């Protein structure tokens, strides 16, 4: 029955990402680079495409040029078969205002649903790092008879106040009894009292039910027009909402170590920690799962190159992710991620850091505990992340123990 259902995937990619400033000063959050060669949106798009959802619209809004360009140039599928991934900017179809929330984004884009006429609409966020087979969630949704299904990940009950928490019907744990926003006194799961189900921001809807819900919400006074805060609770109140437990999702090629991995990279620290998950010797998130690939395009870059310096000094790398086009000439790199076209010159030391596209680290420079955005140039002998007071005195951003330089930012003398 699922095979006969027509599915449209909507990727919500209009996020501003204020907590990731300065990385989002010139780009939307879903366009922020991740793990060297990827953009954050590549994970959501790879998941829906690998799941067999081949008609995909990406709703964009905030500083969307680089995001639109990446989606347009990278995500091309066979038009002969009716497959597509297409970015759709905010168009002010129903009024002279931008999207007021995630639900309003869908309401203002209802023409896409009406044109495609799907049976099922899958709605996903564009700024999480994970693998998920949505076809399994769709199958459960159809079988349950619910109009709305919410994907949820198990979290310790002590962390419940950080999430939107799903309270289930005790005798029917696949049904949602209440949707709680950051509760302080949650009730644990019936069969696992120490855990709660936290919303992942991924949903499956019957298409007609979604259209009706966002249309009604648009006329509701006081609504925040948010999918999790307004639309899902409206289905819960009518006993039409089900939950899908992410731990039941089995992705081809997953290992026991990375099965069920999900990371919200909404803060600088979580963004950094997710990179460290990738670089660890036994990665918590495995990029080398070729049965469920993460697709992207990084342009015409040559292979990475690690060679001795001009003075004959050896280059050293340890626990590092080197993207195509990176060159290390006599420098050392450890516990770090280097994006395409990064250069590390003789005697330079890079450790516990993330270097985005085109960063150059000059001779003898030291970079520690840092995130350097695109095209940053570290002069010879300079130090970044070595002394917090020194960094602050030079006007650099220091967050959560990390020194962060924005795109094209010049390092003060």
């Amino acid at each position: 029955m699922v095979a006969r259902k027509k599915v449209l995937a909507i990727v919500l990619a209009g996020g501003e990402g204020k907590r990731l400033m300065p990385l989002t000063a010139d780009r939307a959050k879903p366009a922020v680079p991740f793990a060297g060669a990827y953009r954050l949106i590549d994970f959501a798009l790879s998941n829906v495409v690998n799941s067999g959802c081949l008609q995909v619209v990406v709703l964009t809004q905030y500083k969307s040029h680089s995001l639109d360009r990446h989606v347009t140039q990278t995500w091309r599928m066979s038009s002969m078969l009716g497959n597509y991934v297409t970015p759709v900017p905010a168009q002010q179809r129903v009024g002279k205002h931008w999207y007021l929330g995630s639900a309003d984004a869908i309401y203002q884009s209802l023409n896409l649903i009406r044109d495609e006429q799907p049976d099922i609409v899958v709605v996903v966020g564009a700024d999480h790092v994970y693998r998920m087979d949505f076809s399994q969630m769709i199958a459960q949704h159809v079988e349950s008879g619910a109009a709305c299904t919410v994907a949820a990940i198990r979290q310790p009950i002590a962390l419940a106040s950080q999430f939107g928490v799903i309270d289930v019907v005790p005798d029917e744990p696949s049904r949602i009894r209440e949707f709680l926003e950051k509760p302080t006194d949650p009730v644990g799961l019936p069969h696992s009292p120490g855990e709660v189900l936290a919303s992942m921001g991924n949903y499956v809807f019957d298409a007609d039910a979604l259209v009706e819900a966002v249309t009604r919400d648009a006329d509701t006074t006081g609504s925040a027009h948010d999918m999790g805060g307004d639309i899902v609770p409206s289905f819960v109140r009518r006993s039409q909402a089900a939950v899908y437990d992410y731990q039941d999702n089995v992705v081809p090629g997953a290992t026991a170590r990375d099965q069920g991995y999900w990371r919200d990279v909404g803060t600088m620290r979580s963004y950094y920690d997710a990179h460290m998950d990738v670089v660890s010797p036994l990665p918590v998130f495995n990029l080398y799962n070729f049965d469920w690939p993460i697709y992207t395009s990084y342009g015409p870059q040559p292979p990475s190159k690690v060679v001795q310096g001009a003075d004959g000094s050896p280059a050293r790398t340890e626990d590092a992710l080197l993207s195509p086009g990176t060159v290390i000439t006599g420098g050392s790199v450890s516990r770090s991620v280097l994006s395409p076209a990064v250069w590390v010159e003789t005697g330079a030391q890079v450790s516990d850091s993330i270097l985005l596209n085109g960063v150059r680290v000059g001779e003898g420079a030291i970079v520690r505990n840092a995130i350097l955005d695109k095209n940053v140039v570290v002069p010879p002998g300079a130090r970044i992340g070595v002394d917090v007071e020194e960094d602050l005195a030079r006007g650099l951003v220091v967050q959560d123990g990390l020194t962060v330089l924005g795109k094209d930012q010049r390092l003060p003398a």
Side-chain angles (χ1 to χ4, degrees):
M1 180 167 58
V2 175
R4 295 197 299 270
K5 297 290 185 180
K6 185 175 183 180
V7 179
L8 174 68
I10 297 178
V11 180
L12 300 173
E16 185 175 356
K18 291 181 180 179
R19 294 180 298 169
L20 280 180
M21 290 287 286
L23 301 183
T24 51
D26 195 45
R27 59 170 77 89
K29 182 181 175 184
V32 170
F34 183 82
Y38 305 96
R39 306 284 189 119
L40 286 177
I41 195 172
D42 289 325
F43 294 86
L45 290 176
S46 295
N47 284 326
V48 296
V49 168
N50 286 334
S51 301
C53 304
L54 303 180
Q55 295 171 326
V56 187
V57 293
V58 180
L59 303 186
T60 66
Q61 178 170 245
Y62 173 81
K63 295 183 180 178
S64 64
H65 172 65
S66 64
L67 177 60
D68 292 337
R69 183 178 60 188
H70 176 73
V71 172
T72 301
Q73 293 179 346
T74 301
W75 288 91
R76 297 181 178 182
M77 294 194 291
S78 174
S79 59
M80 178 187 298
L81 301 177
N83 304 329
Y84 58 83
V85 176
T86 185
V88 180
Q91 300 176 74
Q92 297 187 351
R93 282 179 170 266
V94 297
K96 297 300 181 182
H97 58 81
W98 300 114
Y99 297 148
L100 303 176
S102 53
D104 185 57
I106 294 177
Y107 174 67
Q108 292 199 42
S109 306
L110 285 181
N111 62 297
L112 303 172
I113 298 177
R114 294 188 179 112
D115 290 346
E116 200 58 59
Q117 296 186 335
D119 302 302
I120 299 291
V121 178
V122 177
V123 179
V124 304
D127 46 19
H128 298 139
V129 176
Y130 67 109
R131 280 189 174 91
M132 181 173 179
D133 183 354
F134 283 101
S135 69
Q136 298 170 32
M137 182 178 176
I138 295 170
Q140 178 186 298
H141 171 83
V142 172
E143 183 178 355
S144 72
C148 162
T149 299
V150 183
I153 186 169
R154 296 185 178 216
Q155 294 290 340
I157 196 169
L159 301 179
S161 60
Q162 302 177 23
F163 299 98
V165 171
I166 295 167
D167 181 33
V168 299
V169 177
D171 297 333
E172 196 176 0
S174 65
R175 290 282 175 174
I176 302 177
R177 179 170 62 180
E178 192 174 1
F179 192 87
L180 307 170
E181 187 63 30
K182 299 181 179 179
T184 56
D185 55 348
V187 177
L189 294 173
H191 50 282
S192 183
E195 294 181 311
V196 294
L197 288 173
S199 173
M200 298 171 65
N202 296 335
Y203 315 96
V204 175
F205 295 95
D206 288 351
D208 55 353
L210 175 62
V211 171
E212 190 274 334
V214 297
T215 302
R216 184 178 60 251
D217 175 77
D219 295 326
T220 301
T221 302
S223 173
H225 309 294
D226 181 72
M227 292 299 294
D230 299 289
I231 300 301
V232 172
S234 73
F235 282 99
V236 173
R237 288 191 294 270
R238 298 193 300 275
S239 300
Q240 296 178 339
V243 63
Y244 178 78
D245 192 338
Y246 182 49
Q247 78 165 8
D248 297 332
N249 198 257
V250 180
V251 173
T255 65
R257 185 164 171 78
D258 76 344
Q259 176 73 36
Y261 180 92
W262 180 84
R263 175 81 76 170
D264 182 350
V265 290
T267 66
M268 203 64 72
R269 171 52 62 176
S270 62
Y271 177 78
Y272 177 87
D273 289 344
H275 278 86
M276 295 303 105
D277 290 342
V278 169
V279 257
S280 61
L282 292 174
V284 184
F285 184 75
N286 179 23
L287 290 172
Y288 301 91
N289 179 355
F290 296 105
D291 293 328
W292 196 270
I294 306 300
Y295 298 101
T296 194
S297 173
Y298 44 77
Q301 296 290 346
S304 59
K305 187 176 183 180
V306 180
V307 297
Q308 66 181 15
D311 60 357
S313 59
R316 297 186 296 274
T317 62
E318 179 182 3
D319 299 343
L321 189 66
L322 308 181
S323 300
T326 56
V327 178
I328 303 172
T329 60
S332 67
V333 177
S334 63
R335 299 179 303 280
S336 298
V337 175
L338 274 56
S339 300
V342 168
W343 283 64
V344 178
E345 298 185 9
T346 302
Q349 302 175 32
V350 177
S351 60
D352 302 287
S353 296
I354 304 164
L355 277 52
L356 303 188
N357 300 53
V359 168
R360 299 187 71 96
V361 182
E363 291 188 14
I366 300 175
V367 177
R368 294 179 187 165
N369 302 309
I371 301 174
L372 308 185
D373 203 345
K374 186 176 181 180
N375 298 333
V376 167
V377 176
V378 182
R383 305 193 312 171
I384 295 177
V386 176
D387 186 308
V388 171
E389 297 303 322
E390 180 181 299
D391 289 342
L392 290 172
R394 290 182 293 175
L396 303 184
V397 173
V398 179
Q399 296 182 24
D400 300 322
L402 303 168
T403 300
V404 186
L405 272 70
K407 179 181 176 182
D408 297 315
Q409 184 174 344
R410 297 178 64 87
L411 190 68

